[in-house]
Amino acid sequence: DAAGIYAGKDYFHVFSYDLIEGVAANVLTDKSSIVISESTAKNLLGTIDNAIGKTILFQNEKEFIVSGVFKDVPANASTRFDFVISFELYKDQTPGVLNWANSGPETFVMIKSGADVEEFGKKIADLITTKTNETHRKLIINPYTDAYLYGNYENGKQAGGRIEYVIVFSLIALFILAIACINFMNLSTAKASRRIKEVGIKKAVGANRKTLVAQYLGESLLLSFVSLFIAVLFVDLLLPQFNLITGKQLQLQLDGKLVMVLFIIGLVTGLIAGSYPALYLSAFNPATVLKGKFSNSIGELWARKGLVVFQFSISVIFIVAVSVIYKQIDFLQTRNLGYDKENVIYFPMVGKAQQTRETFLTEMRKIPGVVAASSLQESMVGGGNTADISWAGKDPNDRTPFAMRATNYDIMEMLDFQLAEGRFFSRAHHDSLKVIFNEAGIKAMGMNDPIGKTVSLGGPYDHLEIVGVVKDFHFESLHVKVMPMFFILAPQYTRQIMTRIEAGKETETIERIAEFYKAYNPDFTFDYRFLDQDYEAQYRAEQRVSILARYFAVIAILISCLGLFGLAAFTAERRIKEIGIRKVLGSSEFSIVYLLSYEFSKMVVLSTVIALPVSYLLVNQWLDNFAYRIPLHWWYFAGAGLLALIIAWLTVGSQAIRAARVNPVHCLKEQ
């Protein structure tokens, strides 16, 4: 299962990978050299000591001499590998790599210290044009440190990447923090009446406003830093579960930089949360408050309501986002792809299986539970493409890329492709030099009645006859439109065995295949994958976003409800005498509950009105990343608003019912 890469002899010197044994600049001196990781050395040789000079058999075909051992690549590295072999060997195996028209493999360049990166990029931009006279491709340079987060490009310009999700979740975290700050402000100012005499006495004995502001800000900062300490403990506790969800290997390392960032977050949070209560409480007139003439101003009440509206607006946006993301993920996983990916496994064709391909496939088909077996160049997901295809009447400047697959007989029937016209490859027709296109390919070539017409790939495939057209199917993610594609009948170039197994008998059938493989190809392990797993893996990022969005939404709603719960409890407490008088005068418990809930309900409805257009713009922008997407139905938004209202009713209603059931005698005795 080891993963390897091809590299030049100075690779370790340039990229500063730590060598345990070997000399950095000389570890890949020839094509028979191999550099292995520390764990690989232990697995294969039992030790890293004296590994240099030992021989390793690769794929039971070629011997390599260990010329170096490097420390294991960290788990959080963008590119992980277990061994490195010479790029010179790769050039021998893949002569096309020397062709300037070839788009692979990736090239890494170490530029001189102090060199102007932008100027260097300009110098290499037209390099392919000078070598091939092609004008449709340009080279761009991208810092290696940016490759992971800034990996998307459009028309040669950087167009986002994983950084977009980092920004989105950072903003969500800030909004959740803002909701918590709002709760603190609201509850602090709402309960200001309990501290007015304290403020009045302190001012009467000489305390100035600056002293009071410092006191209240100090209380807020103390609460913020205690919360920060508890949060760090929770992060350390929950990080393994977070890594499990995200598939990452994050670690909490409290170095100086992180401690400083956390300190600033705690400081800013404390100041923001405590600023309004501190300024509000310190502004009381001592003579007025000691006489008990304190009353809430209209401005204060509107500010408090505005903060509640902001809180629930964020919550409604979260509810809409979670609903839409969930439905889009479900759509991606259940959409008809144009072929049947279920119960299909595939594994690499190596060793004796590759040398006796047709015999191996014939024996495979005899295994109980195997419905069909054939071979394909590579998996149905992703793959290479070419623009070097010609047809009658093609515009010389047309560089439309076509995805391509070399196939064997029976593969298209096994995967249940749908014919638009013509036929599949057939042994009965003794097919040779035949090609099958998808509908997008025929449309890109502008052909009418394509059956029987020819196209050219050059070399031995200079005259390929079109024998069939299959309906468009998805072999890439639904982020992109179906691109032109063709299949050529070339069993000798197929590298993957594909097998459909009987539904309901997957486990026992795979066990039988494994036993057969071990007996037929004993020098290799049976490493298989399910085709539908590869398809789902394309949306791993979206699936993680969906899971994390649900957690964030729950946290945001919970914090909002806690604030609403506190305000409702305090409101009921302040209106306890009013409630008592109303009950004495004959008001029912229902009317009391309605009275206390009505104001909060209006705020939640206003939140929904504000949140829905904002949420529409946000989720619509996210869905624009997909070429195939769900429609945005009105019930996603109406449902979110209704759910927010129900949550608010449950939160406020519990306090309202409790207040409505209090004995009016006790209410009127309250001081």
Side-chain angles (χ1 to χ4, degrees):
D1 294 334
I5 60 174
Y6 293 90
K9 64 184 181 65
D10 294 327
Y11 178 83
F12 288 92
H13 175 71
V14 172
F15 286 91
S16 301
Y17 280 103
D18 293 330
L19 278 172
I20 298 172
E21 289 191 345
V23 181
N26 298 308
V27 292
L28 290 174
T29 53
D30 57 61
K31 301 173 187 177
S32 62
S33 298
I34 187 170
V35 187
I36 59 178
S37 69
E38 182 179 8
S39 59
T40 303
K42 291 177 180 178
N43 291 336
L44 298 181
L45 305 174
T47 178
I48 63 172
D49 298 327
N50 303 317
I52 304 300
K54 297 289 179 65
T55 300
I56 290 177
L57 184 62
F58 181 73
Q59 294 284 56
N60 286 296
E61 295 175 354
K62 182 174 176 58
E63 290 186 343
F64 287 98
I65 298 174
V66 177
S67 59
V69 180
F70 60 90
K71 290 185 178 180
D72 290 343
V73 179
N76 61 345
S78 300
T79 303
R80 301 189 65 204
F81 51 91
D82 304 290
F83 64 90
V84 185
I85 52 182
S86 173
F87 191 78
E88 297 301 314
L89 180 62
Y90 179 73
K91 289 195 291 186
D92 289 346
Q93 296 173 343
T94 317
V97 75
L98 299 177
N99 187 337
W100 280 96
N102 194 307
S103 60
E106 288 184 288
T107 302
F108 296 88
V109 179
M110 174 66 76
I111 62 175
K112 293 180 179 179
S113 177
D116 188 324
V117 178
E118 186 175 343
E119 189 63 29
F120 176 75
K122 292 178 181 178
K123 289 180 178 179
I124 67 170
D126 297 320
L127 187 59
I128 293 179
T129 301
T130 61
K131 299 292 183 179
T132 65
N133 294 322
E134 293 182 3
T135 59
H136 64 283
R137 289 192 296 170
K138 292 184 180 294
L139 291 178
I140 56 173
I141 187 169
N142 182 35
Y144 184 72
T145 51
D146 292 347
Y148 185 77
L149 292 179
Y150 302 87
N152 292 350
Y153 285 82
E154 292 180 5
N155 299 319
K157 302 292 184 181
Q158 208 287 317
R162 293 181 179 90
I163 188 62
E164 294 174 352
Y165 286 124
V166 175
I167 294 172
V168 166
F169 284 118
S170 297
L171 290 174
I172 290 173
L174 288 175
F175 278 124
I176 290 176
L177 192 59
I179 290 173
C181 290
I182 288 170
N183 280 350
F184 182 81
M185 294 178 188
N186 264 342
L187 294 177
S188 295
T189 54
K191 294 186 176 183
S193 59
R194 293 184 175 181
R195 304 192 70 175
I196 56 174
K197 289 188 178 181
E198 172 196 340
V199 174
I201 293 172
K202 284 184 176 181
K203 282 194 170 184
V205 298
N208 58 36
R209 188 175 184 185
K210 289 183 179 179
T211 303
L212 293 174
V213 168
Q215 175 194 339
Y216 298 133
L217 282 179
E219 293 174 1
S220 175
L221 287 169
L222 177 62
L223 180 62
S224 177
F225 281 109
V226 170
S227 301
L228 177 62
F229 176 75
I230 295 173
V232 171
L233 294 180
F234 268 103
V235 167
D236 188 51
L237 182 66
L238 298 175
L239 197 54
Q241 184 64 29
F242 180 82
N243 285 337
L244 188 64
I245 294 171
T246 60
K248 305 298 180 184
Q249 297 294 327
L250 301 181
Q251 296 177 344
L252 180 62
Q253 297 177 335
L254 293 174
D255 54 20
K257 183 178 180 180
L258 180 58
V259 170
M260 180 58 67
V261 170
L262 293 177
F263 175 80
I264 293 173
I265 291 174
L267 180 65
V268 172
T269 301
L271 291 175
I272 291 176
S275 58
Y276 179 63
L279 296 173
Y280 175 74
L281 290 171
S282 63
F284 290 151
N285 186 303
T288 302
V289 297
L290 290 175
K291 290 178 181 179
K293 295 182 179 180
F294 167 78
S295 62
N296 290 317
S297 68
I298 298 298
E300 177 209 337
L301 293 174
W302 275 106
R304 194 176 303 153
K305 290 180 179 180
L307 292 174
V308 171
V309 169
F310 175 80
Q311 274 185 315
F312 268 86
S313 294
I314 299 298
S315 297
V316 172
I317 290 172
F318 279 149
I319 294 172
V320 172
V322 168
S323 301
V324 171
I325 291 173
Y326 173 80
K327 292 299 293 182
Q328 177 66 12
I329 296 297
D330 182 64
F331 170 77
L332 295 175
Q333 294 178 336
T334 58
R335 179 178 170 85
N336 182 4
L337 301 181
Y339 68 95
D340 187 0
K341 67 182 186 302
E342 303 301 325
N343 300 312
V344 175
I345 65 170
Y346 71 95
F347 50 90
M349 191 189 322
V350 292
K352 187 179 176 182
Q354 186 176 30
Q355 297 162 8
T356 58
R357 180 185 303 104
E358 295 307 319
T359 302
F360 181 83
L361 288 171
T362 299
E363 294 300 317
M364 277 277 296
R365 297 181 186 113
K366 296 177 182 179
I367 298 174
V370 172
V371 178
S374 187
S375 59
L376 189 66
Q377 182 178 4
E378 50 194 309
S379 171
M380 286 301 301
V381 177
N385 59 71
T386 180
D388 296 325
I389 180 172
S390 301
W391 60 88
K394 179 183 179 181
D395 183 342
N397 297 318
D398 186 344
R399 302 298 301 178
T400 302
F402 282 71
M404 62 179 294
R405 292 287 191 283
T407 69
N408 204 340
Y409 291 108
D410 306 324
I411 189 71
M412 306 188 83
E413 294 92 328
M414 185 185 79
L415 294 175
D416 198 23
F417 285 101
Q418 303 299 306
L419 274 172
E421 54 183 309
R423 61 176 177 83
F424 294 127
F425 299 126
S426 169
R427 291 182 178 88
H429 289 81
H430 304 288
D431 281 335
S432 177
L433 297 178
K434 307 297 183 184
V435 63
I436 294 176
F437 281 86
N438 66 354
E439 292 175 310
I442 298 299
K443 182 178 180 181
M445 294 187 293
M447 283 189 181
N448 296 315
D449 302 320
I451 304 303
K453 294 181 179 178
T454 61
V455 297
S456 173
L457 288 175
Y461 298 103
D462 191 46
H463 191 83
L464 293 170
E465 181 187 353
I466 302 174
V467 296
V469 179
V470 294
K471 293 182 179 179
D472 284 341
F473 61 93
H474 297 282
F475 55 94
E476 294 184 298
S477 77
L478 298 185
H479 287 92
V480 295
K481 292 280 188 182
V482 174
M483 71 179 294
M485 185 178 191
F486 63 86
F487 298 87
I488 57 173
L489 182 63
Q492 67 274 23
Y493 293 129
T494 59
R495 300 193 296 264
Q496 302 287 341
I497 298 291
M498 284 204 167
T499 305
R500 181 177 297 282
I501 54 183
E502 189 175 343
K505 297 182 179 180
E506 293 87 353
T507 303
E508 55 264 42
T509 303
I510 291 174
E511 288 176 355
R512 295 189 191 107
I513 295 173
E515 291 175 3
F516 163 74
Y517 190 91
K518 184 177 181 181
Y520 195 97
N521 220 16
D523 294 329
F524 295 88
T525 57
F526 178 58
D527 299 317
Y528 69 92
R529 290 182 60 86
F530 276 93
L531 186 57
D532 57 356
Q533 290 177 339
D534 278 5
Y535 175 76
E536 292 174 4
Q538 297 178 107
Y539 308 108
R540 193 168 289 135
E542 285 78 12
Q543 291 167 348
R544 290 168 180 167
V545 167
S546 178
I547 294 171
L548 292 175
R550 288 200 291 270
Y551 282 120
F552 278 127
V554 169
I555 292 171
I557 293 168
L558 178 63
I559 295 175
S560 298
C561 289
L562 287 174
L564 199 60
F565 183 87
L567 280 177
F570 182 74
T571 301
E573 181 183 336
R574 291 196 60 186
R575 300 180 70 174
I576 193 70
K577 286 190 176 181
E578 175 190 346
I579 291 170
I581 293 171
R582 286 179 180 274
K583 293 193 74 172
V584 168
L585 294 176
S587 294
S588 65
E589 290 185 358
F590 175 80
S591 63
I592 300 296
V593 170
Y594 176 81
L595 173 70
L596 295 176
S597 302
Y598 179 67
E599 285 298 318
F600 290 107
S601 298
K602 285 197 299 183
M603 288 187 281
V604 174
V605 170
L606 179 59
S607 301
T608 302
V609 172
I610 294 172
L612 293 187
V614 176
S615 61
Y616 175 83
L617 293 175
L618 291 175
V619 297
N620 190 59
Q621 183 177 5
W622 182 75
L623 288 173
D624 282 342
N625 292 317
F626 300 88
Y628 303 90
R629 46 175 279 185
I630 60 171
L632 284 176
H633 296 296
W634 63 268
W635 55 78
Y636 294 135
F637 306 95
L642 181 61
L643 180 59
L645 190 58
I646 291 173
I647 291 172
W649 282 340
L650 293 174
T651 304
V652 175
S654 60
Q655 288 298 318
I657 292 172
R658 180 182 175 187
R661 290 181 175 177
V662 173
N663 190 316
V665 175
H666 295 157
C667 295
L668 296 174
K669 285 183 178 180
E670 291 288 335
Q671 298 298 320

